[in-house]
């Protein structure tokens, strides 16, 4: 799936950003920029996961078959 590959790429980027944030020689302006990048990447990850979650719910509804109820009113 394309979204799985994109998610993996974004998680890799986020991991690299966090690794750089842990560097002791990082200046404050660089730290601010990296935090901003991390937030953007996390937002993209969340958006993809929301879409994938919505697709899963639709797929589950489409494949579920309602069983006839033994309790009929008429």
């Amino acid at each position: 799936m394309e979204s799985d590959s994109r998610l993996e790429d974004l998680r890799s980027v986020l991991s690299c950003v966090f690794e750089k944030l842990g560097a002791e020689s990082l200046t404050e302006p660089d730290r601010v920029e990296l935090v901003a990048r991390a937030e953007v990447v996390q937002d993209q990850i969340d958006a993809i996961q929301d879409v994938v979650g919505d697709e899963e719910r639709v797929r589950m509804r489409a494949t579920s078959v309602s069983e006839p109820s033994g309790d009929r009113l008429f």
Side-chain angles (χ1 to χ4, degrees), residues 14-15 18 24 39 42 64 72:
L14 192 59
S15 177
F18 282 131
E24 292 179 19
E39 290 172 351
Q42 186 61 55
S64 69
R72 296 195 176 198

mmCIF file of all heavy atoms in Angstrom, residues 14-15 18 24 39 42 64 72:
data_model
loop_
_atom_site.group_PDB
_atom_site.id
_atom_site.type_symbol
_atom_site.label_atom_id
_atom_site.label_comp_id
_atom_site.label_asym_id
_atom_site.label_seq_id
_atom_site.Cartn_x
_atom_site.Cartn_y
_atom_site.Cartn_z
ATOM 1 N N LEU A 14 10.860 11.350 11.232
ATOM 2 C CA LEU A 14 10.606 11.785 12.598
ATOM 3 C C LEU A 14 11.672 11.246 13.548
ATOM 4 O O LEU A 14 12.161 11.954 14.427
ATOM 5 C CB LEU A 14 9.214 11.346 13.036
ATOM 6 C CG LEU A 14 8.668 11.950 14.322
ATOM 7 C CD1 LEU A 14 8.602 13.466 14.232
ATOM 8 C CD2 LEU A 14 7.287 11.395 14.624
ATOM 9 N N SER A 15 12.057 10.009 13.335
ATOM 10 C CA SER A 15 13.107 9.408 14.155
ATOM 11 C C SER A 15 14.422 10.166 13.998
ATOM 12 O O SER A 15 15.118 10.439 14.982
ATOM 13 C CB SER A 15 13.289 7.940 13.754
ATOM 14 O OG SER A 15 14.343 7.361 14.473
ATOM 15 N N PHE A 18 14.237 13.486 15.879
ATOM 16 C CA PHE A 18 14.409 13.310 17.320
ATOM 17 C C PHE A 18 15.861 12.995 17.676
ATOM 18 O O PHE A 18 16.366 13.443 18.702
ATOM 19 C CB PHE A 18 13.478 12.219 17.856
ATOM 20 C CG PHE A 18 12.062 12.681 18.017
ATOM 21 C CD1 PHE A 18 11.016 11.936 17.505
ATOM 22 C CD2 PHE A 18 11.752 13.860 18.680
ATOM 23 C CE1 PHE A 18 9.705 12.352 17.652
ATOM 24 C CE2 PHE A 18 10.444 14.290 18.832
ATOM 25 C CZ PHE A 18 9.417 13.528 18.317
ATOM 26 N N GLU A 24 24.044 17.345 21.570
ATOM 27 C CA GLU A 24 24.414 18.357 22.553
ATOM 28 C C GLU A 24 24.855 19.666 21.912
ATOM 29 O O GLU A 24 24.721 20.727 22.515
ATOM 30 C CB GLU A 24 25.529 17.811 23.447
ATOM 31 C CG GLU A 24 25.058 16.686 24.337
ATOM 32 C CD GLU A 24 26.182 16.146 25.208
ATOM 33 O OE1 GLU A 24 27.191 16.850 25.391
ATOM 34 O OE2 GLU A 24 26.038 15.024 25.691
ATOM 35 N N GLU A 39 6.744 18.551 14.374
ATOM 36 C CA GLU A 39 5.301 18.759 14.472
ATOM 37 C C GLU A 39 4.621 18.579 13.116
ATOM 38 O O GLU A 39 3.552 17.962 13.030
ATOM 39 C CB GLU A 39 5.009 20.152 15.038
ATOM 40 C CG GLU A 39 5.367 20.288 16.497
ATOM 41 C CD GLU A 39 5.259 21.707 17.018
ATOM 42 O OE1 GLU A 39 5.067 22.647 16.214
ATOM 43 O OE2 GLU A 39 5.374 21.877 18.246
ATOM 44 N N GLN A 42 4.640 14.860 12.296
ATOM 45 C CA GLN A 42 3.661 14.158 13.126
ATOM 46 C C GLN A 42 2.243 14.426 12.635
ATOM 47 O O GLN A 42 1.408 13.518 12.613
ATOM 48 C CB GLN A 42 3.798 14.567 14.592
ATOM 49 C CG GLN A 42 2.911 13.761 15.517
ATOM 50 C CD GLN A 42 3.235 12.277 15.493
ATOM 51 O OE1 GLN A 42 4.366 11.882 15.719
ATOM 52 N NE2 GLN A 42 2.241 11.443 15.219
ATOM 53 N N SER A 64 -19.195 -6.762 6.689
ATOM 54 C CA SER A 64 -20.008 -7.376 7.736
ATOM 55 C C SER A 64 -21.411 -7.631 7.206
ATOM 56 O O SER A 64 -22.020 -6.800 6.548
ATOM 57 C CB SER A 64 -20.059 -6.490 8.981
ATOM 58 O OG SER A 64 -20.785 -5.331 8.716
ATOM 59 N N ARG A 72 -38.457 -11.198 16.204
ATOM 60 C CA ARG A 72 -39.208 -10.351 15.276
ATOM 61 C C ARG A 72 -40.404 -9.749 15.976
ATOM 62 O O ARG A 72 -41.016 -10.374 16.820
ATOM 63 C CB ARG A 72 -39.687 -11.179 14.086
ATOM 64 C CG ARG A 72 -38.508 -11.695 13.292
ATOM 65 C CD ARG A 72 -38.926 -12.175 11.986
ATOM 66 N NE ARG A 72 -37.738 -12.575 11.242
ATOM 67 C CZ ARG A 72 -37.708 -12.725 9.978
ATOM 68 N NH1 ARG A 72 -38.801 -12.557 9.269
ATOM 69 N NH2 ARG A 72 -36.617 -13.072 9.377
#
